[in-house]
Amino acid sequence: MRAWQHPQIPSVPGPSTAPWLHDTASDSLVEAKPTDVARLYVCGITPYDATHIGHAATYLAFDTLQRVWRDAGYRVHYAQNVTDVDDPLLERAIATGVDWRDLAESQVELFRTDMAALRIIPPNDYVAVTDVIDEVAAAVGQLVAAGMAYSVPTADALSVTPVDGTDPVRGSDVYFDIAAAERQTAWQIGDESNLSRADMLLLSAERGGDPDRPGKRDPLDPMLWRAARAGEPAWESEVGPGRPGWHIECSVIALQELGTDFTVQGGGADLIFPHHDMSAGHAAALSGHPLAGVYSHTGMVAYQGEKMSKSLGNLVLVSVLLQQGADARAIRLALLAQHYRTDWTWTDAHLGIGTARLARWTAAFGADAVPGTATSSYVIGTLRTALVNDLDTPTALALVDKAALTGVSDPALLARAVDALLGVDL
Ligand SMILES: Nc1ncnc2c1ncn2[C@@H]1O[C@H](COS(=O)(=O)NC(=O)[C@@H](N)CS)[C@@H](O)[C@H]1O
Ligand SMILES: [Zn+2]
């Protein structure tokens, strides 16, 4: 699927190194140093109510990561999915009387324009789950054959006569067998999330799981394939008519585009469990290898006291801010002023601060700037040090603020660094 236009990224002289990132799995800072190409998977949107400030903050964090890798001389291979068929999307389509395909299509297009406006680097591979149904079904079939998945008879599935009668899977929902996968692979549930089983059960119910469903071997076993039901989209497949589960789509797309053991798997903290634990479990069961080296998660942006989210409807949309006259660079600066791993609350004041900062930086380093006393190359060195330290953009912004007060020896050089590393073209 088409992504969006790639922003210009100038090269900046001077040495830089791979970034250190907080890794959720080890709960420590690790060096995200690729062996050759930096391979990155960041979970994409479920396309409705696209691009709220929370989405933008998360994708901006992994944009910053890529800018630091590129500055250090690494090429980046970036993959991202679109969850363009899933229960929440179908519910929203029904609630708003819109065909789910039209809703997905229009929201992905809005997301693309917002990402391009914010100069966020696009993925090399932008893959919709509806484009890989066969690949997902084949992966589910592989897990069934390997004894790491099982079917649960489905009362309300469309009655389907199994083709040859021997295949117990047709016409049933298919679940991942966590215990079997833990026996057959090095993966253990909780490897990424480090959560207690009690917390897992709570989060599983809150985030699309069905721990109370009868017939499952373990309440935490996640669904791999949902059998066709009346009124729901379904595709014919080797595991019967139906559609993909959530976690398996990211395992299949990440493995297909990046292979195993890729550098960083990224997303918001609400994906830590079940989504990223299970995506890693499915990938280990399919490939025998770990999915990624580093599991990187961003904090949640709230608005009016609650995490910004579709279901709550407390959304601040990037496109609305832009329509109201906000400069995309000011929105970017407003987001970069918060460390990517903190939970924080958006207020309109944040946009005002970003707008004022943009004006000060334009005066100090833009086309009409006059040289000042700080040394550009020195300031750029401190900027790089801040970003290599777990993408510390708040410190980076403060360093550029300070340089703006005194002016710098070579304003154009600093402007190049601000563009390359922070994505703000003054
Ligand atoms: N309020 C928020 N603050 C920060 N990040 C958020 C917020 N809401 C959603 N996100 C992040 O934005 C990304 C897309 O979220 S989403 O549209 O709900 N889609 C999904 O989570 C799945 N399609 C991932 S496969 C995820 O990484 C999610 O963690
Ligand atoms: Zn995902």
Side-chain angles (χ1 to χ4, degrees):
M1 190 164 70
R2 180 171 53 83
W4 54 89
Q5 142 213 8
H6 199 299
Q8 287 291 326
I9 303 183
S11 61
V12 181
S16 183
T17 58
W20 287 73
L21 274 187
H22 181 266
D23 170 41
T24 303
S26 61
D27 193 17
S28 67
L29 266 192
V30 296
E31 194 177 23
K33 189 181 175 111
T35 39
D36 50 353
V37 175
R39 290 175 290 151
L40 170 67
Y41 186 85
V42 178
C43 285
I45 58 167
T46 300
Y48 64 91
D49 285 356
T51 321
H52 59 66
I53 285 292
H55 290 141
T58 285
Y59 295 115
L60 179 54
F62 297 104
D63 171 270
T64 304
L65 170 60
Q66 292 178 74
R67 289 173 183 274
V68 175
W69 268 332
R70 296 167 72 109
D71 182 53
Y74 295 100
R75 278 187 313 109
V76 181
H77 182 179
Y78 179 25
Q80 185 171 124
N81 68 310
V82 178
T83 307
D84 63 343
V85 63
D86 198 12
D87 295 347
L89 180 74
L90 300 175
E91 283 150 23
R92 171 57 68 92
I94 292 164
T96 51
V98 175
D99 176 87
W100 65 273
R101 281 167 292 249
D102 298 340
L103 175 62
E105 170 116 15
S106 63
Q107 288 292 302
V108 169
E109 188 49 31
L110 181 57
F111 177 73
R112 288 190 186 100
T113 37
D114 292 339
M115 290 292 106
L118 290 174
R119 300 178 81 234
I120 285 181
I121 298 168
N124 306 90
D125 307 299
Y126 195 42
V127 184
V129 67
T130 52
D131 287 339
V132 291
I133 299 288
D134 294 342
E135 291 82 343
V136 173
V140 175
Q142 182 190 329
L143 293 174
V144 172
M148 289 188 272
Y150 59 97
S151 62
V152 175
T154 310
D156 56 342
L158 295 178
S159 61
V160 231
T161 13
V163 174
D164 53 10
T166 56
D167 176 352
V169 165
R170 283 184 71 81
S172 300
D173 294 335
V174 186
Y175 282 82
F176 185 62
D177 188 330
I178 292 169
E182 290 183 328
R183 283 193 300 274
Q184 294 190 40
T185 72
W187 172 81
Q188 297 293 310
I189 189 169
D191 276 356
E192 287 71 40
S193 65
N194 302 304
L195 290 173
S196 67
R197 186 168 171 84
D199 287 344
M200 289 180 183
L201 285 164
L202 277 177
L203 288 173
S204 168
E206 260 175 51
R207 296 173 177 169
D210 55 359
D212 302 331
R213 175 172 180 173
K216 288 170 66 174
R217 293 175 185 167
D218 178 339
L220 288 175
D221 286 347
M223 190 185 281
L224 292 168
W225 186 261
R226 180 175 166 86
R229 286 165 170 77
E232 291 187 12
W235 288 262
E236 194 32 70
S237 87
E238 63 179 271
V239 287
R243 60 185 164 94
W246 176 24
H247 318 309
I248 186 72
E249 83 181 58
C250 285
S251 307
V252 166
I253 293 169
L255 289 177
Q256 171 181 296
E257 302 302 341
L258 299 174
T260 62
D261 287 298
F262 53 82
T263 322
V264 174
Q265 155 87 328
D270 59 346
L271 298 186
I272 293 174
F273 189 88
H275 190 50
H276 284 171
D277 250 345
M278 297 304 177
S279 298
H282 298 347
L286 288 166
S287 72
H289 288 270
L291 185 65
V294 180
Y295 291 85
S296 171
H297 295 99
T298 58
M300 291 288 110
V301 182
Y303 186 59
Q304 296 165 346
E306 295 272 343
K307 170 191 170 230
M308 211 174 280
S309 87
K310 327 167 165 32
S311 33
L312 292 169
N314 61 331
L315 301 166
V316 175
L317 298 180
V318 168
S319 53
V320 169
L321 292 179
L322 293 172
Q323 276 152 17
Q324 290 168 346
D327 187 315
R329 297 170 299 169
I331 298 174
R332 228 185 130 99
L333 284 172
L335 296 174
L336 290 169
Q338 310 295 327
H339 190 260
Y340 78 95
R341 286 199 300 118
T342 48
D343 296 334
W344 58 284
T345 294
W346 173 268
T347 65
D348 299 344
H350 285 107
L351 183 58
I353 293 165
T355 305
R357 175 167 269 135
L358 177 64
R360 288 201 311 274
W361 289 14
T362 305
F365 317 114
D368 315 331
V370 293
T373 54
T375 310
S376 290
S377 54
Y378 171 77
V379 175
I380 292 170
T382 61
L383 197 47
R384 282 172 159 147
T385 306
L387 292 174
V388 163
N389 173 26
D390 199 21
L391 310 181
D392 184 357
T393 53
T395 299
L397 266 55
L399 288 163
V400 179
D401 283 344
K402 198 162 144 254
L405 290 176
T406 61
V408 291
S409 52
D410 180 345
L413 179 60
L414 193 75
R416 277 172 73 86
V418 165
D419 187 356
L421 293 169
L422 301 173
V424 176
D425 53 334
L426 298 175

